[in-house]
Amino acid sequence: MKILVGFAFLIIVLSSCAPGPITFASNKTIAHRGAWKTADLPQNSIASLKRAIELKVAGSEFDVRMTKDGELVINHDPLYAEDTIELTTYAELSKHTLKNGERLPTLKDYLKAGSRNNNQTCLVVEVKPSLVDKNQGVWAATKTVALIKEMKLQARVVYISFDYEILKEIRHLDAFAVTQYLTGDKTPAELKADGVSGADYHISVYRENPEWITQLKDNEMILNAWTVNTAEDMDWLLGQGFDFITTDQPELLFERLKLLMTKRPVK
């Protein structure tokens, strides 16, 4: 399996491991927890994932946690229906549905939904650190990579995490994995030395360290920012030439991209 990652991050994959050629969209837009806000859908739901795919965003991000009995589930917060996910079985958690009637999605169900009728939206997998035991987070990452390999979806995913050890373990398990670090406490040189593909930092980190933008570009690393929901911030990042922008407002980002294109001089 080989993933070709260009500086502009238009990924083109032709692989026997994936169901046909894939050209991921080049519109820079990563829908944060799916495209949920405008349609009033539950975050991290299969419905919000499908909506993101319908919008043809470049990527749709979602959060992975592991239950007490080892089931990988999709939820941002460590609690679900007031129960701590890591200390509760999936059977107990799934008694409570999302507001649209969906059951709490498993990673397997989410990946199945994300690979159907989708040849342009990358699946951005955030593996959450454990609240119980740091090794538990690494184990969740190990199981996540194993499932993605089992489903032959390596060419369709990007991994992100706030836990640096999780990212390093993912790279150990899959030498071709595309990874981005979220916390913002590592320089581009440190990321590159550890084989991390790029930075996905809060916009404030880049404003405080503008030289990192140049360094990431010079090293042909991925340049992403979270979670960007205002036109002003989007315009600043677009002006800086970011590869991706992670947002709860993908439709707004589409508008800013369109406006940017209309302002460019015709050659």
Side-chain angles (χ1 to χ4, degrees):
M1 173 65 61
K2 187 172 183 180
I3 301 178
L4 305 180
V5 186
F7 177 66
F9 213 65
L10 173 62
I11 311 174
I12 302 175
V13 179
L14 180 58
S15 168
S16 60
C17 288
I22 307 167
T23 303
F24 290 117
S26 58
N27 55 48
K28 300 177 181 282
T29 306
I30 307 296
H32 185 233
R33 306 177 200 169
W36 56 272
K37 194 173 184 68
T38 300
D40 192 28
L41 297 169
Q43 299 178 26
N44 273 319
S45 63
I46 288 177
S48 69
L49 171 63
K50 289 181 176 178
R51 177 59 181 158
I53 293 169
E54 289 171 2
L55 290 175
K56 299 183 178 181
V57 296
S60 186
E61 181 266 354
F62 55 94
D63 305 291
V64 178
R65 294 186 179 274
M66 189 166 65
T67 66
K68 179 180 179 180
D69 54 340
E71 185 70 66
L72 298 170
V73 298
I74 310 304
N75 198 70
H76 176 266
D77 296 339
L79 300 182
Y80 177 74
E82 300 184 358
D83 291 318
T84 301
I85 291 172
E86 290 185 87
L87 302 178
T88 312
T89 66
Y90 181 68
E92 293 170 316
L93 292 169
S94 63
K95 292 176 183 178
H96 308 278
T97 60
L98 305 182
K99 70 177 184 179
N100 65 342
E102 283 185 36
R103 70 173 184 173
L104 177 66
T106 66
L107 175 59
K108 188 169 187 177
D109 287 343
Y110 213 82
L111 292 172
K112 284 181 179 177
S115 59
R116 293 192 192 107
N117 302 315
N118 174 21
N119 287 318
Q120 74 285 318
T121 299
C122 179
L123 305 176
V124 182
V125 185
E126 180 177 346
V127 182
K128 287 292 188 180
S130 170
L131 294 181
V132 177
D133 179 356
K134 189 172 181 66
N135 292 329
Q136 193 86 337
V138 175
W139 177 234
T142 301
K143 292 192 67 172
T144 298
V145 173
L147 179 60
I148 287 168
K149 285 184 175 181
E150 177 188 325
M151 296 178 71
K152 298 182 178 180
L153 295 175
Q154 300 99 304
R156 293 175 176 261
V157 303
V158 167
Y159 298 96
I160 62 176
S161 185
F162 283 96
D163 188 319
Y164 206 60
E165 295 305 313
I166 282 176
L167 290 184
K168 290 201 290 187
E169 179 63 16
I170 289 170
R171 285 283 297 178
H172 172 72
L173 295 167
D174 182 355
F176 295 111
V178 179
T179 57
Q180 298 169 46
Y181 185 47
L182 295 168
T183 302
D185 59 351
K186 299 287 186 182
T187 67
E190 289 174 303
L191 296 178
K192 185 173 183 179
D194 287 324
V196 178
S197 309
D200 182 2
Y201 292 163
H202 190 270
I203 184 174
S204 62
V205 175
Y206 296 112
R207 289 189 183 275
E208 293 168 6
N209 302 278
E211 71 279 7
W212 286 5
I213 298 173
T214 302
Q215 291 168 16
L216 286 160
K217 288 181 179 181
D218 288 346
N219 284 288
E220 297 187 348
M221 300 174 74
I222 301 166
L223 193 53
N224 192 356
W226 63 266
T227 298
V228 183
N229 292 324
T230 69
E232 179 185 1
D233 285 342
M234 290 175 182
D235 291 348
W236 185 80
L237 292 167
L238 291 172
Q240 296 293 323
F242 270 62
D243 299 309
F244 296 109
I245 298 173
T246 301
T247 178
D248 294 318
Q249 304 269 20
E251 297 90 349
L252 175 60
L253 183 50
F254 283 167
E255 291 176 9
R256 305 316 296 176
L257 282 162
K258 184 177 180 180
L259 183 62
L260 178 65
M261 293 303 295
T262 59
K263 290 182 176 178
R264 286 182 176 173
V266 178
K267 293 183 179 180

